[in-house]
């Protein structure tokens, strides 16, 4: 059974997940070093023959996965959206239980502008969802079950790849994008496309890297001998509008 991404994230792959899944070769280890909302990860059911490893450097985001795996069955409706409540939770740093932390992190993700977790916003889509009852304990139990045997990490992406890469691994990378070739929104650390490509030159398994359709990424990928294709997708702009764009899908097979 497939699920939607656990939270919304800017640049999420909800529109490309089927295409990416269809391109994946057979594997016994699945590694996703920038899992974000997990659209691709959750788009297929768990396979008992595949070891799954997901990672994100954003601690609040990865805590959603850690806590969902532990106590997802204890989460039902979130409290009603309000700016005052949002700012109160944003400033909260300590928690009495994994359940309290999970509720807080889900709330910030769901009720922020483009899921940035920093600025309160309630989109038209979310307003409609709230009217019909968006969350339920049954829904979150599905995520808890899906994560049952998944290894969840909060590390640097290079360390994760080095540790779990093997000849039968498949690595899906969806790093923060940047039209300048450098992403600034990765837990305050730069993620450079050049570093990503250099890391992927050494992997033993197969990979797909999705990235901005920029000349630098194409040049580096082709120089490394990787295959490069473009895919058309769309994103919401946070106000109900749609942005159409082309992205790169880079692979080594």
């Amino acid at each position: 059974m497939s699920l939607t991404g656990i939270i919304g994230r800017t640049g999420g792959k909800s529109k490309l997940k089927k295409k990416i899944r269809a391109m994946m070769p057979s594997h016994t280890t699945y590694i996703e070093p920038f899992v974000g909302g997990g659209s691709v990860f959750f788009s297929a059911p768990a396979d008992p023959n595949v070891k799954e490893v997901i990672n994100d450097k954003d601690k609040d985001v990865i805590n959603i996965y850690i806590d969902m795996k532990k106590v997802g069955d204890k989460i039902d409706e979130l409290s009603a959206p309000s700016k005052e409540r949002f700012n109160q939770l944003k400033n909260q740093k300590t928690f009495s239980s994994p359940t309290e932390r999970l509720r807080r992190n889900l709330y910030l993700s769901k009720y922020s502008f483009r899921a940035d977790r920093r600025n309160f916003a309630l989109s038209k889509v979310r307003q409609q969802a709230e009217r019909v009852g968006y969350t339920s304990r049954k829904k979150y139990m599905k995520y808890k079950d899906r994560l049952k045997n998944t290894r969840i990490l909060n590390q640097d992406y290079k360390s994760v790849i080095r540790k779990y890469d093997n000849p039968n691994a498949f690595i899906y990378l969806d790093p923060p994008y940047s039209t300048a070739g450098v992403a600034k929104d990765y837990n305050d650390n730069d993620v450079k496309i050049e570093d990503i490509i250099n890391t992927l030159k050494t992997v033993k398994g197969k990979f797909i890297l999705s990235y901005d359709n920029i000349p630098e990424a194409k040049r580096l990928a082709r120089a490394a001998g990787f295959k490069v294709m473009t895919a058309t997708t769309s994103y919401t702009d946070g106000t109900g509008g749609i942005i159409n764009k082309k992205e790169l899908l880079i692979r080594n097979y």
Side-chain angles (χ1 to χ4, degrees):
M1 177 184 63
S2 65
L3 297 168
T4 58
I6 197 166
I7 56 173
R9 293 289 279 175
T10 299
K13 291 297 172 288
S14 61
K15 303 293 193 304
L16 284 177
K17 61 186 180 183
K18 289 183 179 179
K19 185 178 187 69
I20 292 168
R21 275 284 174 187
M23 293 171 61
M24 290 184 190
S26 61
H27 53 277
T28 57
T29 303
Y30 177 88
I31 307 165
E32 192 164 343
F34 305 93
V35 69
S39 287
V40 172
F41 172 76
F42 286 113
S43 66
D47 183 339
N49 297 312
V50 176
K51 178 180 182 179
E52 295 180 319
V53 181
I54 60 175
N55 176 76
D56 203 282
K57 199 68 179 293
D58 187 319
K59 193 165 185 178
D60 280 347
V61 168
I62 213 64
N63 279 341
I64 290 177
Y65 288 87
I66 292 170
D67 295 337
M68 188 67 72
K69 183 176 179 177
K70 290 180 182 177
V71 296
D73 56 330
K74 294 180 170 56
I75 303 295
D76 43 32
E77 297 291 330
L78 300 178
S79 56
S82 76
K83 188 173 183 179
E84 181 180 7
R85 177 63 174 158
F86 181 91
N87 288 331
Q88 178 186 15
L89 290 174
K90 185 171 68 171
N91 294 323
Q92 184 176 355
K93 303 301 179 185
T94 59
F95 309 94
S96 62
S97 68
T99 304
E100 183 185 21
R101 186 172 70 173
L102 179 55
R103 285 182 177 278
R104 179 257 191 186
N105 284 327
L106 287 172
Y107 192 100
L108 293 182
S109 292
K110 288 180 180 300
Y111 302 134
S112 56
F113 180 71
R114 299 181 70 176
D116 67 1
R117 304 173 53 78
R118 295 188 291 268
N119 302 286
F120 176 80
L122 197 59
S123 69
K124 292 180 180 179
V125 172
R126 184 66 67 191
Q127 289 175 39
Q128 176 62 24
E130 291 302 320
R131 282 195 291 271
V132 302
Y134 184 80
T135 58
S136 69
R137 180 170 297 173
K138 183 177 179 181
K139 173 187 173 182
Y140 287 129
M141 281 189 68
K142 293 177 181 178
Y143 288 107
K144 183 179 187 294
D145 291 343
R146 178 65 182 84
L147 292 164
K148 181 179 178 181
N149 296 312
T150 305
R151 187 175 295 264
I152 304 168
L153 304 173
N154 174 225
Q155 300 176 14
D156 179 76
Y157 75 97
K158 296 177 185 177
S159 299
V160 174
I161 292 173
R162 280 195 299 268
K163 183 171 182 178
Y164 295 99
D165 176 38
N166 65 77
N168 295 312
F170 175 77
I171 309 165
Y172 172 60
L173 304 96
D174 185 32
Y177 288 5
S178 170
T179 54
V182 179
K184 298 288 188 181
D185 194 23
Y186 184 55
N187 201 33
D188 298 322
N189 292 318
D190 292 348
V191 179
K192 299 179 182 179
I193 185 59
E194 183 176 7
D195 291 342
I196 294 172
I197 294 293
N198 285 335
T199 298
L200 293 174
K201 288 178 184 178
T202 67
V203 299
K204 302 170 186 174
K206 295 180 173 65
F207 72 82
I208 294 175
L209 164 66
S210 49
Y211 204 75
D212 272 345
N213 182 22
I214 59 171
E216 180 70 358
K218 291 181 191 176
R219 182 186 67 80
L220 290 168
R222 287 172 176 154
F226 301 149
K227 295 180 180 179
V228 181
M229 64 179 289
T230 58
T232 301
T233 188
S234 61
Y235 298 110
T236 59
D237 62 5
T239 62
I242 301 295
I243 301 171
N244 295 307
K245 63 177 297 188
K246 288 187 176 181
E247 297 189 352
L248 300 178
L249 294 178
I250 300 165
R251 56 196 172 105
N252 65 342
Y253 58 95

